[in-house]
Amino acid sequence: MSDLTNKNLKEIVENIKLKKISSLDLTQAYIKNIEGAKKLNTFVTTTFDQALEKAKQFDQKPNYDQILPGIPLAVKDLFCTENVKTTAGSNILNNFVPSYESTVTKNLWDSGAFLLGKLNCDEFAMGSSNETSFFGNVINPIGDQLVPGGSSGGSSSALAANLTPATIGTDTGGSIRQPASFTGTVGLKPTYGLCSRWGIVAFASSLDQAGPMTKTVTDCAIMLEAMSGFDEKDSTSIDKKKEFYSKNLKDNIKGLKIGIPKEYRVDNMPKEIDELWEKGKKILKNLGAQLIDISLPHTKYALPTYYIVAPAEASSNLARYDGVRYGYRSQKSKDLIDMYENTRSEGFGDEVKRRILIGTYVLSSGYYDAYYLKAQKVRQLIKKDFDNNFTKVDAILTPSTPSSAFKIGEKTNDPVSMYLNDIFTVPVNLAGLPALSLPAGVDKQGYPLGLQLIGKPLDEQKILNIGYAFEKNCSFKNKINKWWL
Amino acid sequence: MNKEKFDYFINSEKGKYEVIIGLEVHAQVLSNSKLFSGSSTKFGANPNNQVSLIDSAFPGMLPVINEECIKQAVKTGLGLNAKINNYSVFDRKNYFYADLPQGYQISQYKSPIVGEGKVTLDMPYGSKEVGIERLHLEQDAGKSIHDMDPQYTYVDLNRSGIALMEIVSKPDIRSPEEVNAYIKKLRTIMRYLGTCDGNMQEGSLRADVNVSVRKIGDKKLGTRCEIKNVNSIKFMQMAIEYEAKRQVELLDNGKNIEQETRLFDTKKNETRSMRSKEDAHDYRYFPDPDLLPLTLEEKMIDDLKKSLPELPDKKKERFINEYGLSPYEANVLVSEKEISDFYEEVAKLSDKKLAATWMMGDLFAMLNNKGLNISNSPITAKNFAELIQSIKSGEISGRIAKEVFEIMVQSGDNPKKIIESKGMKQQSDPKELEKMINEILTKNKDKVDQYKAGKEKLFGFFVGEVMKLSGGKANPQLTNEVLKKLLKG
């Protein structure tokens, strides 16, 4: 039998259902891949014994009605997993074993999947290159010098390297879409509130959203179907009927109106990105979609707004890591304040500290109005830009990132240039919208590039449909030569 | 204590000062579970036995508002005649402390659930209104226990996350006496509503006290000091007296008052600086992104309004107008919900005025002596009502009633049964009485003659004889009538 791990999720599920392969064989194949790919540094924790046990249980009593029957999955290490260490890529949680399961992962297990391991990520999801992790940087399977994007870099890398058939990440400012773009894979940030945040280590509560990362749009629909759903334990969860995204996937997009925002053509953007965007427009046009030039005038304020709102929330969300109840505690302290200072100094990395400082600053009395309050107002304007245009268009097409994957270490000393990576992705988080990143081409070095489809709130089905049609007509093929073997 | 005129001023050599007081009362909400988690709120459990993953702020845990607590806050707001805000926001108040697991307290800052209201106090010098600035909901913190170990501090998170109502008064209070009346009134209202048990020993009611002084006639408020977390009315009063004197002394000596937070040392009976304005925490309030703004539907507020019990001010009015009680009596009887409930039950079955007199007299005295309160009174309302009725109908005299009352306290028995079995019924049959009195007159012929000769003082002697013979049961009024009639003949 050919290597099943080369296939996409849908094919693997079909093979399981047709009993062409057992869950155990599948799991063993992934374990073998993972063991051979240690150089990529994608896994923080593996749960092979537990996975093999689950696979055997599935094979003995298979339930083929489930959407993910007997499928092993690795997930970002930001999702709390019961009795399995959950680190958020941080030293401060490097010994933390939750007694509970996040709602999103529980939904996956309830759909028939089981855990293969926990994937590396930027510390507390703060980063765009997976270089801020306490557990070391992750390498992009596209090239041994390249970052996989971030913060869900372990997820994108593991997926592209066939170490998991699909995976999930979280996206606060582009943490699913940017790594997907850097690794030639599909990533979806759902509408804020579609997937429960319960049990996900929080970064910025008003922006965080879990989503699928997959090889194809169909896989993305399958995963979204499994992981999403109302959760009364999350007050910001949206109470709506479950949708069957994969069953309802259609490739007829004739007559749909696609907005092309002029503000996404930024200064110094490589020509290749522009060309990619043109290519995307052409494909959609050929499929019968109507292209409409639109304006999102407040786009230029999105990045600064994001870098006020997200650190502000993070500075408060991360206050709980104080060494008192769980996680890392510095041993060399003489009193309470000392313990806080030492624990947090030793427990957090530089990028996390930087954002806690920024967040604390913008919330301080005397600065609150000038920064946080103003940012909230601008956020409303950004959202309004989208609202205004969604009366005219069905979806918006933009590049996912302003460049392809960059070199490891290239931007670590220049936080601002690192932050600029998120320029096309953050407006979506600020507006709470769904957005899909699709592999669409390569740059002159052969590194993948992605396009982003932004949808109306809860209009995931439509952007998945457009992506589905696009994918069929784009003929993108990821070239990975398994250099790590 | 019954002063006709308000007279709490501080007189110093340099002038006469009035004391301006505002209170921030923290009242624990009566609810089965905490403000944002399902943990129990019962008092007295073993440490850390009522703590959920949310209360202890584990990674990825999210707060979910407990509707019961919202309703309790709205009810309390209605009880304070306050504006209920249909839109309110939960904010995070950020600070580090070992018994604050999240590193922030979820509170309401700019948009509280309840706005302005008022409370009426009954002072000896008339009724007085105290304005309510606002009421907001917030989480209680856990408890740090510093005296269990010489080296370590222990933390109990059972209290962490219990709902608190912070009720902020306007600076309308002017004396320790008014503080007493204000706290008691708040407590009474909340107990009537069932929104807070008001138990100060268990910490369900505590207050921060803001004190400033100003010379009589001054319009501008003086600089205030906040005395943190005082947990008894007595201590509040002591703290205010000390603090006001301290401030007057400073002013008299030409010094300024620093705005600061102070602590009350109950052992030394003094307030001490805790932190100055410069050292004040920057709490970095911002709206909690884990919670949506709270919107209340008009219908919910209306339903709660309809479900409100009769509150003490209304009840007092009714006791005066319908039951004919004096304002003083009415005030005492509405002061506690349990007392007013007991009284109403008694009044339903017996004479309302007589019931009030007996309750406030013998019943309260007995409870006081025994250290009991009305809810564990050895005499039930029904039995008490029967006793009152027996007095009213003339079945027993007031004097006998006191004996019956004593027996009721000892045995818990029904008064009818006691009167019956001990033969304590009043002798009210005129024929029986005539027979008895004739017997006495015959036996004391000499005294009768002296009486008839003009020694009318002897009338008392005959009454005494009748009582002696009847064992005190002769109806006194009837005895007088019959005796007079027979002595004439």
Side-chain angles (χ1 to χ4, degrees), chain A residues 100 197 199-200 205 233 235 316-317 320 325-326 340 365 368, chain B residues 56-61 63 92 94 97-98 101 104 282 290:
Chain A
Y100 48 93
R197 292 186 296 115
I200 303 174
S205 310
K233 291 188 285 188
S235 306
S316 176
N317 280 337
R320 65 188 56 200
R325 299 165 309 285
Y326 52 79
Y340 286 152
S365 75
Y368 181 88
Chain B
S56 46
F58 270 68
M61 291 300 102
R92 291 186 184 178
N94 295 283
Y97 203 63
Y104 55 84
D282 182 352
D290 285 332

PDB file of all heavy atoms in Angstrom, chain A residues 100 197 199-200 205 233 235 316-317 320 325-326 340 365 368, chain B residues 56-61 63 92 94 97-98 101 104 282 290:
ATOM      1  N   TYR A 100      -8.577  18.722  32.664  1.00  0.00           N
ATOM      2  CA  TYR A 100      -9.783  18.960  31.852  1.00  0.00           C
ATOM      3  C   TYR A 100      -9.419  19.030  30.373  1.00  0.00           C
ATOM      4  O   TYR A 100      -8.250  19.193  30.017  1.00  0.00           O
ATOM      5  CB  TYR A 100     -10.463  20.256  32.295  1.00  0.00           C
ATOM      6  CG  TYR A 100      -9.513  21.434  32.423  1.00  0.00           C
ATOM      7  CD1 TYR A 100      -9.312  22.317  31.367  1.00  0.00           C
ATOM      8  CD2 TYR A 100      -8.781  21.635  33.597  1.00  0.00           C
ATOM      9  CE1 TYR A 100      -8.428  23.379  31.474  1.00  0.00           C
ATOM     10  CE2 TYR A 100      -7.885  22.694  33.715  1.00  0.00           C
ATOM     11  CZ  TYR A 100      -7.713  23.560  32.650  1.00  0.00           C
ATOM     12  OH  TYR A 100      -6.825  24.592  32.756  1.00  0.00           O
ATOM     13  N   ARG A 197     -13.896  28.946  23.170  1.00  0.00           N
ATOM     14  CA  ARG A 197     -12.573  29.253  23.702  1.00  0.00           C
ATOM     15  C   ARG A 197     -12.307  28.529  25.013  1.00  0.00           C
ATOM     16  O   ARG A 197     -11.220  28.631  25.575  1.00  0.00           O
ATOM     17  CB  ARG A 197     -12.434  30.773  23.912  1.00  0.00           C
ATOM     18  CG  ARG A 197     -12.406  31.577  22.618  1.00  0.00           C
ATOM     19  CD  ARG A 197     -12.133  33.049  22.874  1.00  0.00           C
ATOM     20  NE  ARG A 197     -13.204  33.666  23.649  1.00  0.00           N
ATOM     21  CZ  ARG A 197     -13.048  34.155  24.884  1.00  0.00           C
ATOM     22  NH1 ARG A 197     -11.880  34.114  25.473  1.00  0.00           N
ATOM     23  NH2 ARG A 197     -14.074  34.699  25.503  1.00  0.00           N
ATOM     24  N   GLY A 199     -11.076  26.261  27.654  1.00  0.00           N
ATOM     25  CA  GLY A 199      -9.974  25.310  27.722  1.00  0.00           C
ATOM     26  C   GLY A 199      -8.825  25.618  26.793  1.00  0.00           C
ATOM     27  O   GLY A 199      -7.904  24.817  26.662  1.00  0.00           O
ATOM     28  N   ILE A 200      -8.866  26.746  26.130  1.00  0.00           N
ATOM     29  CA  ILE A 200      -7.730  27.173  25.322  1.00  0.00           C
ATOM     30  C   ILE A 200      -6.968  28.222  26.121  1.00  0.00           C
ATOM     31  O   ILE A 200      -7.578  29.180  26.620  1.00  0.00           O
ATOM     32  CB  ILE A 200      -8.182  27.786  23.977  1.00  0.00           C
ATOM     33  CG1 ILE A 200      -9.037  26.785  23.196  1.00  0.00           C
ATOM     34  CG2 ILE A 200      -6.976  28.225  23.150  1.00  0.00           C
ATOM     35  CD1 ILE A 200      -9.655  27.363  21.923  1.00  0.00           C
ATOM     36  N   SER A 205      -8.509  37.630  24.620  1.00  0.00           N
ATOM     37  CA  SER A 205      -9.828  37.002  24.620  1.00  0.00           C
ATOM     38  C   SER A 205     -10.770  37.497  23.535  1.00  0.00           C
ATOM     39  O   SER A 205     -11.576  36.723  23.020  1.00  0.00           O
ATOM     40  CB  SER A 205     -10.495  37.218  25.976  1.00  0.00           C
ATOM     41  OG  SER A 205      -9.613  36.868  27.001  1.00  0.00           O
ATOM     42  N   LYS A 233     -20.314  27.190  28.213  1.00  0.00           N
ATOM     43  CA  LYS A 233     -19.225  27.549  29.135  1.00  0.00           C
ATOM     44  C   LYS A 233     -18.410  28.742  28.639  1.00  0.00           C
ATOM     45  O   LYS A 233     -17.536  29.244  29.337  1.00  0.00           O
ATOM     46  CB  LYS A 233     -18.311  26.339  29.344  1.00  0.00           C
ATOM     47  CG  LYS A 233     -18.992  25.223  30.130  1.00  0.00           C
ATOM     48  CD  LYS A 233     -18.033  24.114  30.494  1.00  0.00           C
ATOM     49  CE  LYS A 233     -17.705  23.259  29.283  1.00  0.00           C
ATOM     50  NZ  LYS A 233     -16.926  22.057  29.639  1.00  0.00           N
ATOM     51  N   SER A 235     -19.041  32.481  27.330  1.00  0.00           N
ATOM     52  CA  SER A 235     -20.088  33.507  27.206  1.00  0.00           C
ATOM     53  C   SER A 235     -20.066  34.205  25.856  1.00  0.00           C
ATOM     54  O   SER A 235     -21.033  34.857  25.485  1.00  0.00           O
ATOM     55  CB  SER A 235     -19.923  34.565  28.299  1.00  0.00           C
ATOM     56  OG  SER A 235     -19.890  33.954  29.553  1.00  0.00           O
ATOM     57  N   SER A 316      -3.473  41.227  31.116  1.00  0.00           N
ATOM     58  CA  SER A 316      -4.403  40.816  32.173  1.00  0.00           C
ATOM     59  C   SER A 316      -4.599  39.291  32.176  1.00  0.00           C
ATOM     60  O   SER A 316      -4.582  38.651  33.229  1.00  0.00           O
ATOM     61  CB  SER A 316      -5.726  41.543  31.948  1.00  0.00           C
ATOM     62  OG  SER A 316      -6.693  41.129  32.855  1.00  0.00           O
ATOM     63  N   ASN A 317      -4.731  38.715  30.992  1.00  0.00           N
ATOM     64  CA  ASN A 317      -4.931  37.258  30.901  1.00  0.00           C
ATOM     65  C   ASN A 317      -3.756  36.475  31.482  1.00  0.00           C
ATOM     66  O   ASN A 317      -3.930  35.376  31.999  1.00  0.00           O
ATOM     67  CB  ASN A 317      -5.115  36.835  29.438  1.00  0.00           C
ATOM     68  CG  ASN A 317      -6.526  37.083  28.937  1.00  0.00           C
ATOM     69  OD1 ASN A 317      -7.462  37.164  29.723  1.00  0.00           O
ATOM     70  ND2 ASN A 317      -6.679  37.200  27.629  1.00  0.00           N
ATOM     71  N   ARG A 320      -2.537  35.495  35.759  1.00  0.00           N
ATOM     72  CA  ARG A 320      -2.781  34.299  36.572  1.00  0.00           C
ATOM     73  C   ARG A 320      -1.550  33.401  36.692  1.00  0.00           C
ATOM     74  O   ARG A 320      -1.499  32.528  37.557  1.00  0.00           O
ATOM     75  CB  ARG A 320      -3.959  33.509  36.007  1.00  0.00           C
ATOM     76  CG  ARG A 320      -3.722  32.924  34.631  1.00  0.00           C
ATOM     77  CD  ARG A 320      -4.998  32.323  34.064  1.00  0.00           C
ATOM     78  NE  ARG A 320      -6.065  33.325  34.032  1.00  0.00           N
ATOM     79  CZ  ARG A 320      -7.359  33.021  33.950  1.00  0.00           C
ATOM     80  NH1 ARG A 320      -7.745  31.761  33.903  1.00  0.00           N
ATOM     81  NH2 ARG A 320      -8.264  33.972  33.914  1.00  0.00           N
ATOM     82  N   ARG A 325      -0.504  28.705  42.250  1.00  0.00           N
ATOM     83  CA  ARG A 325      -1.362  27.510  42.256  1.00  0.00           C
ATOM     84  C   ARG A 325      -0.901  26.383  41.351  1.00  0.00           C
ATOM     85  O   ARG A 325      -1.186  25.216  41.598  1.00  0.00           O
ATOM     86  CB  ARG A 325      -2.793  27.898  41.890  1.00  0.00           C
ATOM     87  CG  ARG A 325      -3.424  28.866  42.857  1.00  0.00           C
ATOM     88  CD  ARG A 325      -4.670  29.490  42.266  1.00  0.00           C
ATOM     89  NE  ARG A 325      -4.431  30.037  40.954  1.00  0.00           N
ATOM     90  CZ  ARG A 325      -3.777  31.176  40.709  1.00  0.00           C
ATOM     91  NH1 ARG A 325      -3.306  31.893  41.710  1.00  0.00           N
ATOM     92  NH2 ARG A 325      -3.565  31.603  39.484  1.00  0.00           N
ATOM     93  N   TYR A 326      -0.234  26.713  40.244  1.00  0.00           N
ATOM     94  CA  TYR A 326       0.200  25.679  39.302  1.00  0.00           C
ATOM     95  C   TYR A 326       1.312  26.278  38.454  1.00  0.00           C
ATOM     96  O   TYR A 326       1.551  27.492  38.500  1.00  0.00           O
ATOM     97  CB  TYR A 326      -0.962  25.213  38.403  1.00  0.00           C
ATOM     98  CG  TYR A 326      -1.678  26.364  37.729  1.00  0.00           C
ATOM     99  CD1 TYR A 326      -1.137  26.976  36.600  1.00  0.00           C
ATOM    100  CD2 TYR A 326      -2.862  26.887  38.250  1.00  0.00           C
ATOM    101  CE1 TYR A 326      -1.758  28.051  35.995  1.00  0.00           C
ATOM    102  CE2 TYR A 326      -3.496  27.964  37.652  1.00  0.00           C
ATOM    103  CZ  TYR A 326      -2.941  28.539  36.530  1.00  0.00           C
ATOM    104  OH  TYR A 326      -3.538  29.609  35.935  1.00  0.00           O
ATOM    105  N   TYR A 340       6.611  36.566  42.828  1.00  0.00           N
ATOM    106  CA  TYR A 340       5.973  36.976  41.580  1.00  0.00           C
ATOM    107  C   TYR A 340       7.036  37.390  40.568  1.00  0.00           C
ATOM    108  O   TYR A 340       7.030  36.970  39.416  1.00  0.00           O
ATOM    109  CB  TYR A 340       5.060  38.196  41.816  1.00  0.00           C
ATOM    110  CG  TYR A 340       3.751  37.921  42.522  1.00  0.00           C
ATOM    111  CD1 TYR A 340       3.140  38.906  43.281  1.00  0.00           C
ATOM    112  CD2 TYR A 340       3.112  36.700  42.393  1.00  0.00           C
ATOM    113  CE1 TYR A 340       1.928  38.684  43.913  1.00  0.00           C
ATOM    114  CE2 TYR A 340       1.901  36.471  43.032  1.00  0.00           C
ATOM    115  CZ  TYR A 340       1.310  37.468  43.790  1.00  0.00           C
ATOM    116  OH  TYR A 340       0.115  37.251  44.414  1.00  0.00           O
ATOM    117  N   SER A 365      -3.529  54.305  34.005  1.00  0.00           N
ATOM    118  CA  SER A 365      -4.314  55.535  34.100  1.00  0.00           C
ATOM    119  C   SER A 365      -3.482  56.665  33.522  1.00  0.00           C
ATOM    120  O   SER A 365      -2.277  56.736  33.715  1.00  0.00           O
ATOM    121  CB  SER A 365      -4.698  55.817  35.547  1.00  0.00           C
ATOM    122  OG  SER A 365      -3.600  56.290  36.252  1.00  0.00           O
ATOM    123  N   TYR A 368      -4.802  55.271  29.232  1.00  0.00           N
ATOM    124  CA  TYR A 368      -5.935  54.446  28.807  1.00  0.00           C
ATOM    125  C   TYR A 368      -6.731  55.095  27.672  1.00  0.00           C
ATOM    126  O   TYR A 368      -6.995  54.478  26.648  1.00  0.00           O
ATOM    127  CB  TYR A 368      -6.828  54.200  30.025  1.00  0.00           C
ATOM    128  CG  TYR A 368      -8.043  53.347  29.750  1.00  0.00           C
ATOM    129  CD1 TYR A 368      -7.967  51.960  29.847  1.00  0.00           C
ATOM    130  CD2 TYR A 368      -9.261  53.923  29.408  1.00  0.00           C
ATOM    131  CE1 TYR A 368      -9.083  51.181  29.602  1.00  0.00           C
ATOM    132  CE2 TYR A 368     -10.374  53.146  29.159  1.00  0.00           C
ATOM    133  CZ  TYR A 368     -10.282  51.779  29.269  1.00  0.00           C
ATOM    134  OH  TYR A 368     -11.380  51.005  29.019  1.00  0.00           O
TER     135      TYR A 368
ATOM    136  N   SER B  56     -10.190  29.159  40.679  1.00  0.00           N
ATOM    137  CA  SER B  56      -8.750  29.114  40.921  1.00  0.00           C
ATOM    138  C   SER B  56      -7.979  29.513  39.668  1.00  0.00           C
ATOM    139  O   SER B  56      -6.764  29.381  39.613  1.00  0.00           O
ATOM    140  CB  SER B  56      -8.345  27.726  41.410  1.00  0.00           C
ATOM    141  OG  SER B  56      -8.939  26.736  40.616  1.00  0.00           O
ATOM    142  N   ALA B  57      -8.711  30.003  38.655  1.00  0.00           N
ATOM    143  CA  ALA B  57      -8.093  30.616  37.467  1.00  0.00           C
ATOM    144  C   ALA B  57      -7.130  29.686  36.753  1.00  0.00           C
ATOM    145  O   ALA B  57      -5.982  30.041  36.500  1.00  0.00           O
ATOM    146  CB  ALA B  57      -7.412  31.935  37.829  1.00  0.00           C
ATOM    147  N   PHE B  58      -7.593  28.507  36.416  1.00  0.00           N
ATOM    148  CA  PHE B  58      -6.756  27.621  35.612  1.00  0.00           C
ATOM    149  C   PHE B  58      -6.736  28.118  34.167  1.00  0.00           C
ATOM    150  O   PHE B  58      -7.650  28.823  33.737  1.00  0.00           O
ATOM    151  CB  PHE B  58      -7.264  26.173  35.717  1.00  0.00           C
ATOM    152  CG  PHE B  58      -6.622  25.443  36.847  1.00  0.00           C
ATOM    153  CD1 PHE B  58      -6.891  25.805  38.157  1.00  0.00           C
ATOM    154  CD2 PHE B  58      -5.705  24.416  36.620  1.00  0.00           C
ATOM    155  CE1 PHE B  58      -6.261  25.168  39.216  1.00  0.00           C
ATOM    156  CE2 PHE B  58      -5.075  23.776  37.674  1.00  0.00           C
ATOM    157  CZ  PHE B  58      -5.354  24.142  38.983  1.00  0.00           C
ATOM    158  N   PRO B  59      -5.693  27.747  33.416  1.00  0.00           N
ATOM    159  CA  PRO B  59      -5.589  28.239  32.036  1.00  0.00           C
ATOM    160  C   PRO B  59      -6.818  27.858  31.212  1.00  0.00           C
ATOM    161  O   PRO B  59      -7.307  26.729  31.299  1.00  0.00           O
ATOM    162  CB  PRO B  59      -4.346  27.509  31.506  1.00  0.00           C
ATOM    163  CG  PRO B  59      -3.534  27.185  32.717  1.00  0.00           C
ATOM    164  CD  PRO B  59      -4.523  26.929  33.809  1.00  0.00           C
ATOM    165  N   GLY B  60      -7.311  28.811  30.455  1.00  0.00           N
ATOM    166  CA  GLY B  60      -8.410  28.533  29.542  1.00  0.00           C
ATOM    167  C   GLY B  60      -9.786  28.524  30.174  1.00  0.00           C
ATOM    168  O   GLY B  60     -10.781  28.273  29.498  1.00  0.00           O
ATOM    169  N   MET B  61      -9.865  28.804  31.477  1.00  0.00           N
ATOM    170  CA  MET B  61     -11.181  28.819  32.125  1.00  0.00           C
ATOM    171  C   MET B  61     -11.867  30.155  31.862  1.00  0.00           C
ATOM    172  O   MET B  61     -11.226  31.197  31.803  1.00  0.00           O
ATOM    173  CB  MET B  61     -11.022  28.588  33.630  1.00  0.00           C
ATOM    174  CG  MET B  61     -10.581  27.185  33.967  1.00  0.00           C
ATOM    175  SD  MET B  61     -11.755  25.925  33.374  1.00  0.00           S
ATOM    176  CE  MET B  61     -10.920  25.341  31.933  1.00  0.00           C
ATOM    177  N   PRO B  63     -15.378  32.773  32.674  1.00  0.00           N
ATOM    178  CA  PRO B  63     -16.498  33.068  33.563  1.00  0.00           C
ATOM    179  C   PRO B  63     -17.829  33.013  32.817  1.00  0.00           C
ATOM    180  O   PRO B  63     -17.903  33.418  31.656  1.00  0.00           O
ATOM    181  CB  PRO B  63     -16.207  34.510  34.006  1.00  0.00           C
ATOM    182  CG  PRO B  63     -15.458  35.114  32.854  1.00  0.00           C
ATOM    183  CD  PRO B  63     -14.678  33.993  32.221  1.00  0.00           C
ATOM    184  N   ARG B  92     -12.411  44.375  34.376  1.00  0.00           N
ATOM    185  CA  ARG B  92     -11.369  43.723  35.167  1.00  0.00           C
ATOM    186  C   ARG B  92     -10.618  44.776  35.969  1.00  0.00           C
ATOM    187  O   ARG B  92     -10.205  45.789  35.414  1.00  0.00           O
ATOM    188  CB  ARG B  92     -10.379  43.004  34.259  1.00  0.00           C
ATOM    189  CG  ARG B  92     -10.968  41.802  33.570  1.00  0.00           C
ATOM    190  CD  ARG B  92      -9.868  41.083  32.808  1.00  0.00           C
ATOM    191  NE  ARG B  92     -10.384  39.967  32.041  1.00  0.00           N
ATOM    192  CZ  ARG B  92      -9.621  39.218  31.257  1.00  0.00           C
ATOM    193  NH1 ARG B  92      -8.318  39.482  31.155  1.00  0.00           N
ATOM    194  NH2 ARG B  92     -10.143  38.211  30.585  1.00  0.00           N
ATOM    195  N   ASN B  94      -7.297  45.052  37.837  1.00  0.00           N
ATOM    196  CA  ASN B  94      -6.064  44.255  37.842  1.00  0.00           C
ATOM    197  C   ASN B  94      -5.162  44.567  39.027  1.00  0.00           C
ATOM    198  O   ASN B  94      -4.790  45.718  39.236  1.00  0.00           O
ATOM    199  CB  ASN B  94      -5.278  44.537  36.552  1.00  0.00           C
ATOM    200  CG  ASN B  94      -6.017  44.062  35.315  1.00  0.00           C
ATOM    201  OD1 ASN B  94      -6.051  42.871  35.016  1.00  0.00           O
ATOM    202  ND2 ASN B  94      -6.641  44.988  34.596  1.00  0.00           N
ATOM    203  N   TYR B  97      -2.347  39.565  43.992  1.00  0.00           N
ATOM    204  CA  TYR B  97      -2.326  39.128  45.378  1.00  0.00           C
ATOM    205  C   TYR B  97      -2.548  37.628  45.420  1.00  0.00           C
ATOM    206  O   TYR B  97      -3.217  37.082  44.549  1.00  0.00           O
ATOM    207  CB  TYR B  97      -3.369  39.873  46.236  1.00  0.00           C
ATOM    208  CG  TYR B  97      -2.981  39.837  47.693  1.00  0.00           C
ATOM    209  CD1 TYR B  97      -1.799  40.458  48.121  1.00  0.00           C
ATOM    210  CD2 TYR B  97      -3.728  39.130  48.624  1.00  0.00           C
ATOM    211  CE1 TYR B  97      -1.383  40.371  49.434  1.00  0.00           C
ATOM    212  CE2 TYR B  97      -3.321  39.054  49.956  1.00  0.00           C
ATOM    213  CZ  TYR B  97      -2.147  39.674  50.352  1.00  0.00           C
ATOM    214  OH  TYR B  97      -1.742  39.582  51.649  1.00  0.00           O
ATOM    215  N   ALA B  98      -1.998  37.001  46.439  1.00  0.00           N
ATOM    216  CA  ALA B  98      -2.013  35.529  46.464  1.00  0.00           C
ATOM    217  C   ALA B  98      -3.423  34.956  46.540  1.00  0.00           C
ATOM    218  O   ALA B  98      -3.664  33.851  46.063  1.00  0.00           O
ATOM    219  CB  ALA B  98      -1.174  35.033  47.637  1.00  0.00           C
ATOM    220  N   PRO B 101      -6.781  34.723  42.449  1.00  0.00           N
ATOM    221  CA  PRO B 101      -6.176  33.791  41.480  1.00  0.00           C
ATOM    222  C   PRO B 101      -6.052  34.343  40.059  1.00  0.00           C
ATOM    223  O   PRO B 101      -5.036  34.112  39.407  1.00  0.00           O
ATOM    224  CB  PRO B 101      -7.129  32.596  41.503  1.00  0.00           C
ATOM    225  CG  PRO B 101      -7.797  32.670  42.828  1.00  0.00           C
ATOM    226  CD  PRO B 101      -7.918  34.124  43.149  1.00  0.00           C
ATOM    227  N   TYR B 104      -6.843  39.491  38.618  1.00  0.00           N
ATOM    228  CA  TYR B 104      -7.785  40.600  38.473  1.00  0.00           C
ATOM    229  C   TYR B 104      -9.104  40.189  39.107  1.00  0.00           C
ATOM    230  O   TYR B 104      -9.405  39.001  39.221  1.00  0.00           O
ATOM    231  CB  TYR B 104      -8.004  40.992  37.004  1.00  0.00           C
ATOM    232  CG  TYR B 104      -8.440  39.865  36.093  1.00  0.00           C
ATOM    233  CD1 TYR B 104      -9.777  39.501  35.988  1.00  0.00           C
ATOM    234  CD2 TYR B 104      -7.509  39.164  35.340  1.00  0.00           C
ATOM    235  CE1 TYR B 104     -10.171  38.459  35.157  1.00  0.00           C
ATOM    236  CE2 TYR B 104      -7.890  38.124  34.502  1.00  0.00           C
ATOM    237  CZ  TYR B 104      -9.227  37.778  34.412  1.00  0.00           C
ATOM    238  OH  TYR B 104      -9.606  36.747  33.589  1.00  0.00           O
ATOM    239  N   ASP B 282      -2.758  51.311  40.580  1.00  0.00           N
ATOM    240  CA  ASP B 282      -3.363  51.617  39.280  1.00  0.00           C
ATOM    241  C   ASP B 282      -4.015  50.315  38.824  1.00  0.00           C
ATOM    242  O   ASP B 282      -3.336  49.380  38.416  1.00  0.00           O
ATOM    243  CB  ASP B 282      -2.280  52.077  38.301  1.00  0.00           C
ATOM    244  CG  ASP B 282      -2.871  52.461  36.955  1.00  0.00           C
ATOM    245  OD1 ASP B 282      -4.077  52.219  36.746  1.00  0.00           O
ATOM    246  OD2 ASP B 282      -2.131  52.997  36.125  1.00  0.00           O
ATOM    247  N   ASP B 290     -13.977  38.491  28.257  1.00  0.00           N
ATOM    248  CA  ASP B 290     -14.585  37.157  28.348  1.00  0.00           C
ATOM    249  C   ASP B 290     -16.095  37.223  28.551  1.00  0.00           C
ATOM    250  O   ASP B 290     -16.782  36.205  28.487  1.00  0.00           O
ATOM    251  CB  ASP B 290     -13.982  36.368  29.513  1.00  0.00           C
ATOM    252  CG  ASP B 290     -12.582  35.880  29.192  1.00  0.00           C
ATOM    253  OD1 ASP B 290     -12.284  35.675  28.004  1.00  0.00           O
ATOM    254  OD2 ASP B 290     -11.789  35.694  30.139  1.00  0.00           O
TER     255      ASP B 290
END
